[in-house]
mmCIF file of all heavy atoms in Angstrom:
data_model
loop_
_atom_site.group_PDB
_atom_site.id
_atom_site.type_symbol
_atom_site.label_atom_id
_atom_site.label_comp_id
_atom_site.label_asym_id
_atom_site.label_seq_id
_atom_site.Cartn_x
_atom_site.Cartn_y
_atom_site.Cartn_z
ATOM 1 N N THR B 305 63.048 -30.897 -7.436
ATOM 2 C CA THR B 305 64.475 -30.880 -7.132
ATOM 3 C C THR B 305 65.011 -29.467 -7.290
ATOM 4 O O THR B 305 64.361 -28.591 -7.850
ATOM 5 C CB THR B 305 65.221 -31.822 -8.083
ATOM 6 O OG1 THR B 305 65.050 -31.314 -9.423
ATOM 7 C CG2 THR B 305 64.693 -33.238 -7.985
ATOM 8 N N PHE B 306 66.244 -29.326 -6.861
ATOM 9 C CA PHE B 306 66.872 -27.998 -6.896
ATOM 10 C C PHE B 306 66.981 -27.514 -8.333
ATOM 11 O O PHE B 306 66.679 -26.355 -8.645
ATOM 12 C CB PHE B 306 68.236 -28.086 -6.231
ATOM 13 C CG PHE B 306 69.042 -26.828 -6.372
ATOM 14 C CD1 PHE B 306 68.717 -25.692 -5.671
ATOM 15 C CD2 PHE B 306 70.126 -26.771 -7.236
ATOM 16 C CE1 PHE B 306 69.449 -24.531 -5.806
ATOM 17 C CE2 PHE B 306 70.863 -25.615 -7.379
ATOM 18 C CZ PHE B 306 70.528 -24.493 -6.665
ATOM 19 N N SER B 307 67.407 -28.409 -9.232
ATOM 20 C CA SER B 307 67.607 -28.005 -10.630
ATOM 21 C C SER B 307 66.279 -27.621 -11.278
ATOM 22 O O SER B 307 66.194 -26.631 -12.004
ATOM 23 C CB SER B 307 68.241 -29.137 -11.429
ATOM 24 O OG SER B 307 69.436 -29.513 -10.842
ATOM 25 N N GLU B 308 65.267 -28.427 -10.993
ATOM 26 C CA GLU B 308 63.956 -28.133 -11.593
ATOM 27 C C GLU B 308 63.448 -26.791 -11.090
ATOM 28 O O GLU B 308 62.945 -25.965 -11.858
ATOM 29 C CB GLU B 308 62.945 -29.222 -11.214
ATOM 30 C CG GLU B 308 63.162 -30.546 -11.925
ATOM 31 C CD GLU B 308 62.342 -31.660 -11.270
ATOM 32 O OE1 GLU B 308 61.562 -31.375 -10.331
ATOM 33 O OE2 GLU B 308 62.502 -32.809 -11.691
ATOM 34 N N VAL B 309 63.596 -26.603 -9.802
ATOM 35 C CA VAL B 309 63.083 -25.356 -9.214
ATOM 36 C C VAL B 309 63.859 -24.171 -9.778
ATOM 37 O O VAL B 309 63.275 -23.132 -10.102
ATOM 38 C CB VAL B 309 63.193 -25.409 -7.677
ATOM 39 C CG1 VAL B 309 62.973 -24.038 -7.071
ATOM 40 C CG2 VAL B 309 62.210 -26.400 -7.112
ATOM 41 N N LEU B 310 65.174 -24.330 -9.914
ATOM 42 C CA LEU B 310 65.977 -23.223 -10.438
ATOM 43 C C LEU B 310 65.589 -22.926 -11.879
ATOM 44 O O LEU B 310 65.523 -21.767 -12.303
ATOM 45 C CB LEU B 310 67.463 -23.564 -10.328
ATOM 46 C CG LEU B 310 68.431 -22.454 -10.752
ATOM 47 C CD1 LEU B 310 68.290 -21.246 -9.830
ATOM 48 C CD2 LEU B 310 69.864 -22.958 -10.725
ATOM 49 N N SER B 311 65.351 -23.988 -12.644
ATOM 50 C CA SER B 311 64.969 -23.799 -14.039
ATOM 51 C C SER B 311 63.630 -23.062 -14.136
ATOM 52 O O SER B 311 63.448 -22.150 -14.938
ATOM 53 C CB SER B 311 64.887 -25.159 -14.722
ATOM 54 O OG SER B 311 64.435 -25.011 -16.033
ATOM 55 N N GLU B 312 62.696 -23.482 -13.283
ATOM 56 C CA GLU B 312 61.388 -22.817 -13.267
ATOM 57 C C GLU B 312 61.534 -21.365 -12.825
ATOM 58 O O GLU B 312 60.858 -20.478 -13.339
ATOM 59 C CB GLU B 312 60.480 -23.527 -12.248
ATOM 60 C CG GLU B 312 59.736 -24.709 -12.782
ATOM 61 C CD GLU B 312 58.574 -24.311 -13.657
ATOM 62 O OE1 GLU B 312 57.837 -23.383 -13.308
ATOM 63 O OE2 GLU B 312 58.441 -24.915 -14.725
ATOM 64 N N PHE B 313 62.395 -21.163 -11.862
ATOM 65 C CA PHE B 313 62.559 -19.828 -11.261
ATOM 66 C C PHE B 313 63.087 -18.826 -12.268
ATOM 67 O O PHE B 313 62.756 -17.647 -12.235
ATOM 68 C CB PHE B 313 63.500 -19.950 -10.064
ATOM 69 C CG PHE B 313 63.652 -18.684 -9.287
ATOM 70 C CD1 PHE B 313 62.607 -18.167 -8.535
ATOM 71 C CD2 PHE B 313 64.849 -17.985 -9.287
ATOM 72 C CE1 PHE B 313 62.746 -17.000 -7.814
ATOM 73 C CE2 PHE B 313 64.994 -16.819 -8.568
ATOM 74 C CZ PHE B 313 63.942 -16.334 -7.828
ATOM 75 N N THR B 314 63.953 -19.327 -13.173
ATOM 76 C CA THR B 314 64.590 -18.420 -14.125
ATOM 77 C C THR B 314 63.789 -18.266 -15.407
ATOM 78 O O THR B 314 64.293 -17.737 -16.392
ATOM 79 C CB THR B 314 65.998 -18.928 -14.489
ATOM 80 O OG1 THR B 314 65.889 -20.299 -14.884
ATOM 81 C CG2 THR B 314 66.935 -18.816 -13.315
ATOM 82 N N ASP B 315 62.547 -18.699 -15.408
ATOM 83 C CA ASP B 315 61.708 -18.569 -16.589
ATOM 84 C C ASP B 315 61.435 -17.090 -16.846
ATOM 85 O O ASP B 315 60.970 -16.385 -15.951
ATOM 86 C CB ASP B 315 60.393 -19.324 -16.362
ATOM 87 C CG ASP B 315 59.546 -19.393 -17.622
ATOM 88 O OD1 ASP B 315 59.953 -18.826 -18.651
ATOM 89 O OD2 ASP B 315 58.481 -20.021 -17.572
ATOM 90 N N ALA B 316 61.727 -16.640 -18.050
ATOM 91 C CA ALA B 316 61.599 -15.208 -18.352
ATOM 92 C C ALA B 316 60.145 -14.775 -18.418
ATOM 93 O O ALA B 316 59.843 -13.588 -18.322
ATOM 94 C CB ALA B 316 62.306 -14.902 -19.673
ATOM 95 N N LYS B 317 59.233 -15.711 -18.576
ATOM 96 C CA LYS B 317 57.827 -15.326 -18.718
ATOM 97 C C LYS B 317 57.196 -15.012 -17.371
ATOM 98 O O LYS B 317 56.154 -14.383 -17.299
ATOM 99 C CB LYS B 317 57.033 -16.459 -19.360
ATOM 100 C CG LYS B 317 57.376 -16.684 -20.808
ATOM 101 C CD LYS B 317 56.631 -17.888 -21.335
ATOM 102 C CE LYS B 317 57.273 -18.385 -22.596
ATOM 103 N NZ LYS B 317 56.867 -19.716 -22.957
ATOM 104 N N LYS B 318 57.838 -15.455 -16.316
ATOM 105 C CA LYS B 318 57.221 -15.227 -15.004
ATOM 106 C C LYS B 318 57.445 -13.786 -14.576
ATOM 107 O O LYS B 318 58.465 -13.175 -14.883
ATOM 108 C CB LYS B 318 57.850 -16.160 -13.960
ATOM 109 C CG LYS B 318 57.447 -17.614 -14.120
ATOM 110 C CD LYS B 318 57.986 -18.436 -12.965
ATOM 111 C CE LYS B 318 57.762 -19.898 -13.158
ATOM 112 N NZ LYS B 318 56.430 -20.341 -12.847
ATOM 113 N N VAL B 319 56.484 -13.279 -13.838
ATOM 114 C CA VAL B 319 56.630 -11.954 -13.246
ATOM 115 C C VAL B 319 57.408 -12.109 -11.942
ATOM 116 O O VAL B 319 57.118 -12.988 -11.147
ATOM 117 C CB VAL B 319 55.241 -11.349 -12.950
ATOM 118 C CG1 VAL B 319 55.366 -10.062 -12.164
ATOM 119 C CG2 VAL B 319 54.508 -11.097 -14.244
ATOM 120 N N MET B 320 58.401 -11.249 -11.787
ATOM 121 C CA MET B 320 59.287 -11.391 -10.624
ATOM 122 C C MET B 320 59.133 -10.173 -9.717
ATOM 123 O O MET B 320 59.088 -9.040 -10.205
ATOM 124 C CB MET B 320 60.724 -11.462 -11.128
ATOM 125 C CG MET B 320 61.631 -12.172 -10.170
ATOM 126 S SD MET B 320 63.030 -12.893 -10.985
ATOM 127 C CE MET B 320 62.391 -14.429 -11.498
ATOM 128 N N LYS B 321 59.046 -10.452 -8.411
ATOM 129 C CA LYS B 321 58.916 -9.344 -7.466
ATOM 130 C C LYS B 321 59.877 -9.575 -6.317
ATOM 131 O O LYS B 321 60.005 -10.699 -5.813
ATOM 132 C CB LYS B 321 57.495 -9.290 -6.894
ATOM 133 C CG LYS B 321 56.445 -8.884 -7.885
ATOM 134 C CD LYS B 321 55.089 -8.772 -7.193
ATOM 135 C CE LYS B 321 54.021 -8.538 -8.207
ATOM 136 N NZ LYS B 321 52.708 -8.486 -7.633
ATOM 137 N N LEU B 322 60.510 -8.492 -5.866
ATOM 138 C CA LEU B 322 61.389 -8.551 -4.693
ATOM 139 C C LEU B 322 60.578 -8.048 -3.512
ATOM 140 O O LEU B 322 60.180 -6.886 -3.459
ATOM 141 C CB LEU B 322 62.628 -7.688 -4.924
ATOM 142 C CG LEU B 322 63.578 -7.528 -3.741
ATOM 143 C CD1 LEU B 322 64.117 -8.873 -3.297
ATOM 144 C CD2 LEU B 322 64.728 -6.607 -4.108
ATOM 145 N N HIS B 323 60.350 -8.938 -2.569
ATOM 146 C CA HIS B 323 59.544 -8.604 -1.392
ATOM 147 C C HIS B 323 60.453 -8.407 -0.198
ATOM 148 O O HIS B 323 61.366 -9.198 0.030
ATOM 149 C CB HIS B 323 58.558 -9.738 -1.074
ATOM 150 C CG HIS B 323 57.497 -9.934 -2.104
ATOM 151 N ND1 HIS B 323 56.260 -9.336 -1.994
ATOM 152 C CD2 HIS B 323 57.487 -10.638 -3.254
ATOM 153 C CE1 HIS B 323 55.538 -9.687 -3.032
ATOM 154 N NE2 HIS B 323 56.246 -10.470 -3.816
ATOM 155 N N ARG B 324 60.185 -7.372 0.563
ATOM 156 C CA ARG B 324 60.901 -7.172 1.842
ATOM 157 C C ARG B 324 59.914 -7.527 2.945
ATOM 158 O O ARG B 324 58.854 -6.918 3.062
ATOM 159 C CB ARG B 324 61.334 -5.717 1.959
ATOM 160 C CG ARG B 324 62.191 -5.466 3.193
ATOM 161 C CD ARG B 324 62.121 -3.983 3.595
ATOM 162 N NE ARG B 324 62.666 -3.132 2.558
ATOM 163 C CZ ARG B 324 63.946 -2.793 2.482
ATOM 164 N NH1 ARG B 324 64.809 -3.238 3.359
ATOM 165 N NH2 ARG B 324 64.377 -2.000 1.522
ATOM 166 N N LEU B 325 60.282 -8.491 3.772
ATOM 167 C CA LEU B 325 59.415 -8.909 4.875
ATOM 168 C C LEU B 325 59.598 -7.948 6.050
ATOM 169 O O LEU B 325 60.606 -7.225 6.116
ATOM 170 C CB LEU B 325 59.745 -10.344 5.292
ATOM 171 C CG LEU B 325 59.412 -11.395 4.222
ATOM 172 C CD1 LEU B 325 59.883 -12.757 4.661
ATOM 173 C CD2 LEU B 325 57.907 -11.432 3.956
ATOM 174 N N PRO B 326 58.641 -7.931 6.958
ATOM 175 C CA PRO B 326 58.725 -6.957 8.052
ATOM 176 C C PRO B 326 59.994 -7.116 8.876
ATOM 177 O O PRO B 326 60.552 -8.224 8.950
ATOM 178 C CB PRO B 326 57.502 -7.279 8.923
ATOM 179 C CG PRO B 326 56.588 -7.999 8.022
ATOM 180 C CD PRO B 326 57.411 -8.699 7.005
ATOM 181 N N SER B 327 60.448 -6.035 9.454
ATOM 182 C CA SER B 327 61.684 -6.104 10.232
ATOM 183 C C SER B 327 61.473 -7.026 11.417
ATOM 184 O O SER B 327 60.402 -7.075 12.007
ATOM 185 C CB SER B 327 62.069 -4.706 10.724
ATOM 186 O OG SER B 327 61.080 -4.234 11.593
ATOM 187 N N GLY B 328 62.473 -7.765 11.725
ATOM 188 C CA GLY B 328 62.353 -8.771 12.775
ATOM 189 C C GLY B 328 62.198 -10.158 12.188
ATOM 190 O O GLY B 328 62.334 -11.147 12.894
ATOM 191 N N THR B 329 61.918 -10.250 10.882
ATOM 192 C CA THR B 329 61.795 -11.565 10.260
ATOM 193 C C THR B 329 63.178 -12.180 10.119
ATOM 194 O O THR B 329 64.121 -11.526 9.686
ATOM 195 C CB THR B 329 61.173 -11.437 8.867
ATOM 196 O OG1 THR B 329 59.980 -10.665 8.954
ATOM 197 C CG2 THR B 329 60.859 -12.814 8.289
ATOM 198 N N LEU B 330 63.265 -13.422 10.522
ATOM 199 C CA LEU B 330 64.542 -14.128 10.391
ATOM 200 C C LEU B 330 64.368 -15.256 9.403
ATOM 201 O O LEU B 330 63.454 -16.062 9.512
ATOM 202 C CB LEU B 330 64.973 -14.686 11.750
ATOM 203 C CG LEU B 330 65.363 -13.669 12.808
ATOM 204 C CD1 LEU B 330 65.607 -14.346 14.138
ATOM 205 C CD2 LEU B 330 66.602 -12.889 12.399
ATOM 206 N N LEU B 331 65.240 -15.301 8.434
ATOM 207 C CA LEU B 331 65.227 -16.401 7.472
ATOM 208 C C LEU B 331 66.556 -17.114 7.563
ATOM 209 O O LEU B 331 67.614 -16.479 7.674
ATOM 210 C CB LEU B 331 65.017 -15.863 6.056
ATOM 211 C CG LEU B 331 63.662 -15.226 5.778
ATOM 212 C CD1 LEU B 331 63.636 -14.597 4.407
ATOM 213 C CD2 LEU B 331 62.558 -16.255 5.880
ATOM 214 N N SER B 332 66.520 -18.414 7.520
ATOM 215 C CA SER B 332 67.768 -19.161 7.619
ATOM 216 C C SER B 332 67.744 -20.294 6.615
ATOM 217 O O SER B 332 66.830 -20.418 5.796
ATOM 218 C CB SER B 332 67.944 -19.692 9.043
ATOM 219 O OG SER B 332 66.890 -20.567 9.339
ATOM 220 N N ASP B 333 68.736 -21.138 6.726
ATOM 221 C CA ASP B 333 68.856 -22.220 5.746
ATOM 222 C C ASP B 333 67.689 -23.181 5.820
ATOM 223 O O ASP B 333 67.381 -23.867 4.846
ATOM 224 C CB ASP B 333 70.155 -22.993 6.001
ATOM 225 C CG ASP B 333 71.367 -22.108 5.751
ATOM 226 O OD1 ASP B 333 71.205 -21.118 5.040
ATOM 227 O OD2 ASP B 333 72.445 -22.401 6.291
ATOM 228 N N ASN B 334 67.069 -23.297 6.987
ATOM 229 C CA ASN B 334 65.977 -24.261 7.098
ATOM 230 C C ASN B 334 64.615 -23.640 6.831
ATOM 231 O O ASN B 334 63.594 -24.236 7.124
ATOM 232 C CB ASN B 334 65.991 -24.933 8.468
ATOM 233 C CG ASN B 334 65.919 -23.907 9.577
ATOM 234 O OD1 ASN B 334 65.789 -22.718 9.309
ATOM 235 N ND2 ASN B 334 66.054 -24.336 10.804
ATOM 236 N N SER B 335 64.592 -22.427 6.276
ATOM 237 C CA SER B 335 63.309 -21.795 5.965
ATOM 238 C C SER B 335 62.761 -22.282 4.633
ATOM 239 O O SER B 335 61.567 -22.213 4.382
ATOM 240 C CB SER B 335 63.457 -20.270 5.910
ATOM 241 O OG SER B 335 63.875 -19.776 7.143
#
Side-chain angles (χ1 to χ4, degrees):
Chain B
T305 63
F306 172 72
S307 303
E308 287 167 4
V309 167
L310 184 64
S311 176
E312 274 285 317
F313 185 69
T314 51
D315 188 358
K317 290 175 198 164
K318 288 186 187 281
V319 172
M320 205 154 274
K321 291 184 187 177
L322 174 60
H323 293 266
R324 185 203 297 271
L325 293 175
S327 64
T329 309
L330 292 173
L331 294 174
S332 62
D333 295 339
N334 56 4
S335 299

